[in-house]
Amino acid sequence: MLLLAWPLALTNLSQVALLVTDTIFLGHLGEIPLAAATLGGNLHFIAMALPFGLAFAATAMMAQEKGRVRGHMREMRRTFRQACWLGVLVYIPIAVTLWNSGPILRATGQDPSLADAAQTFTRAMMWGLLPFYGFMLLRGFLSALERPRAALWVSLAAVGLNAVLSYALVLGGFGAPSLGVLGAGIASATSNAFMFVGLAILVSLDRRFARFRLAGRFWRADWRRMAELTRIGLPIAGTMLLEIGIFSGTALVMGWFGPAAVAAHAVALQVASAAFMIPMGISQAATARVGLAAGATDPLGVRRAGWTAIGLAAGFMALTATLLFLLPDRLASLFLSEEFADTRRLAATLLMVAGLFQLADGVQVAAAGALRGLKDTRLPLLFAALGYWGLGLPIGLLLGFPLGMGPLGIWFGLAAGLAVVAVLMTLRWRKLAFLRA
């Protein structure tokens, strides 16, 4: 599990590093650019939920097809091809939505100047969305083959590229014009395109992967497979939309407290997201390992893979929780200077609350990954709806407004919702693993 998970986890971290880089550079321009990029980035991630769901469904299907061994090359190629088709189809309405993000944000009560700046950011970012989806599909294909390192090398190179582009386009380094949030969006979109092109080249040049001929007969439709991808992928997308949406929704709620609250939320969320990428990588490894065992009709392998993933994720997140409790001020200072002392103190406080839900967050994502390996995606959607929106958000709003806890109360609500989802996901996995005994 670790051999497969660590490249996936580092790949995830490198993708977070793209946004962290933008956040650091934009933080030097002040609260308004940072808050605008946060709001725009949240909308972008909400829009990514459907492509993410389809990509994870494709990974689970390709893993089971690889586990069955016989005819797996043909089956994996067909799944990859139909996932590409679906990605192009869903991108069109997503792009239209992101292009009009300004009116959407204003409708949620955001400051008009913040909404306009966020729209500038999303209009630049949206051009990297489809290439990033292609990168996720290729990474899922490599994960099913238990060969994920090529994706890691490309992602690390993209981090360096994004840092150079952000320095040039956000701050005006190397004699380039300073474009602020627009520059950050251009840098991120370019880096996403680089990841897809780079990984596609590596896959095509490596004999182990090129023999699958992923682009072969690309025009040929397989409607049954497309329907299965949709059936599995839509609940995953819904689950991710609910999870992404709750954090993005809280960013919108933070906007009601002012730009300082949004900026503090952005910093705390960036740190929590970076920590989350490790169990996310373990979750992706669990999907591949459970899928391979399920395809090979190996119930013991299924159980071992799932429980190992959950245990590893829980152990790592216990360590990150300790770090967040001990060093919140130090972490907040990485993003905000003394000039924004009040915002930095609020960010440090939110980081301590984030420490409360680290363990639950790791367990729920690992269990969800194991369930995806069994193509079990519908009940996890209901669990997410209940935990995040049925309990987490109402509790946060109650604590934040009527009880007067402000931004801190919103984050306590997040912690409560994640705890409920973690318990439900683990119980579901326990039941399915027991049934396969």
Side-chain angles (χ1 to χ4, degrees):
M1 183 67 70
L2 284 173
L3 284 174
L4 179 57
W6 78 261
L8 292 171
L10 290 180
T11 301
N12 294 335
L13 278 172
S14 67
Q15 291 157 11
V16 170
L18 297 177
L19 289 176
V20 171
T21 302
D22 293 339
T23 301
I24 291 174
F25 283 122
L26 288 169
H28 288 284
L29 298 181
E31 294 175 349
I32 299 300
L34 179 58
T38 300
L39 292 175
N42 281 321
L43 273 184
H44 184 267
F45 275 112
I46 290 174
M48 280 295 295
L50 182 54
F52 266 117
L54 295 174
F56 285 146
T59 301
M61 289 177 61
M62 287 188 286
Q64 288 203 11
E65 289 156 1
K66 178 66 170 63
R68 286 193 288 270
V69 180
R70 187 165 189 163
H72 69 277
M73 293 176 66
R74 180 184 65 255
E75 297 301 312
M76 292 175 73
R77 179 171 60 249
R78 289 177 176 175
T79 297
F80 182 88
R81 181 171 67 229
Q82 297 312 123
C84 290
W85 280 37
L86 281 173
V88 174
L89 290 175
V90 302
Y91 174 72
I92 298 172
I94 289 173
V96 172
T97 302
L98 290 176
W99 189 262
N100 296 285
S101 55
I104 294 173
L105 289 171
R106 283 193 290 273
T108 64
Q110 301 304 309
D111 181 88
S113 61
L114 270 181
D116 291 340
Q119 178 175 269
T120 300
F121 183 73
T122 56
R123 285 185 174 182
M125 280 279 289
M126 59 177 274
W127 299 107
L129 194 153
L130 190 58
F132 184 67
Y133 173 73
F135 170 81
M136 288 194 296
L137 286 182
L138 288 172
R139 187 181 64 177
F141 163 73
L142 295 176
S143 298
L145 298 178
E146 299 186 278
R147 306 274 186 181
R149 296 191 184 184
L152 171 60
W153 309 137
V154 171
S155 295
L156 292 176
V159 172
L161 174 64
N162 186 68
V164 172
L165 291 175
S166 294
Y167 175 69
L169 299 177
V170 176
L171 298 182
F174 308 118
S178 176
L179 302 178
V181 292
L182 175 62
I186 293 173
S188 294
T190 304
S191 300
N192 285 335
F194 169 83
M195 285 194 293
F196 169 65
V197 174
L199 189 55
I201 291 173
L202 290 180
V203 168
S204 65
L205 294 178
D206 192 313
R207 292 181 182 179
R208 296 171 299 176
F209 311 138
R211 62 195 180 97
F212 283 81
R213 296 185 295 111
L214 292 178
R217 298 182 179 180
F218 194 79
W219 61 88
R220 178 170 293 182
D222 187 335
W223 304 113
R224 180 194 61 80
R225 197 175 304 264
M226 185 179 287
E228 185 179 6
L229 272 167
T230 304
R231 178 181 61 82
I232 299 171
L234 284 181
I236 298 175
T239 301
M240 297 192 70
L241 182 62
L242 291 170
E243 184 173 359
I244 294 171
I246 193 65
F247 284 97
S248 300
T250 53
L252 297 177
V253 172
M254 291 294 178
W256 300 340
F257 294 108
V262 176
H265 172 81
V267 170
L269 190 57
Q270 289 287 354
V271 175
S273 297
F276 178 74
M277 289 302 105
I278 303 299
M280 183 68 173
I282 295 171
S283 171
Q284 291 163 336
T287 298
R289 299 281 305 160
V290 169
L292 287 167
T297 319
D298 178 10
L300 179 59
V302 167
R303 293 196 299 277
R304 282 179 172 172
W307 286 119
T308 299
I310 292 171
L312 287 173
F316 175 80
M317 292 303 257
L319 293 176
T320 62
T322 303
L323 183 65
L324 292 176
F325 282 132
L326 294 177
L327 300 172
D329 294 315
R330 182 72 59 85
L331 293 170
S333 67
L334 296 175
F335 297 87
L336 294 164
S337 64
E338 283 291 347
E339 183 182 354
F340 307 104
D342 291 340
T343 303
R344 196 166 85 176
R345 280 192 292 271
L346 177 57
T349 304
L350 296 181
L351 282 171
M352 294 186 69
V353 180
L356 294 175
F357 62 67
Q358 292 297 289
L359 185 62
D361 210 9
V363 168
Q364 67 86 17
V365 73
L371 291 171
R372 282 197 294 269
L374 298 178
K375 300 181 182 179
D376 184 69
T377 59
R378 294 184 181 179
L379 272 180
L381 171 62
L382 297 179
F383 296 159
L386 173 63
Y388 299 140
W389 294 89
L391 295 173
L393 184 60
I395 291 173
L397 292 174
L398 176 65
L399 294 174
F401 291 98
L403 298 183
M405 294 183 66
L408 189 62
I410 303 299
W411 273 61
F412 275 124
L414 292 177
L418 282 166
V420 171
V421 174
V423 171
L424 293 175
M425 291 284 195
T426 306
L427 290 176
R428 176 64 175 170
W429 167 253
R430 181 178 180 274
K431 178 181 179 180
L432 293 188
F434 176 78
L435 289 176
R436 287 178 173 267

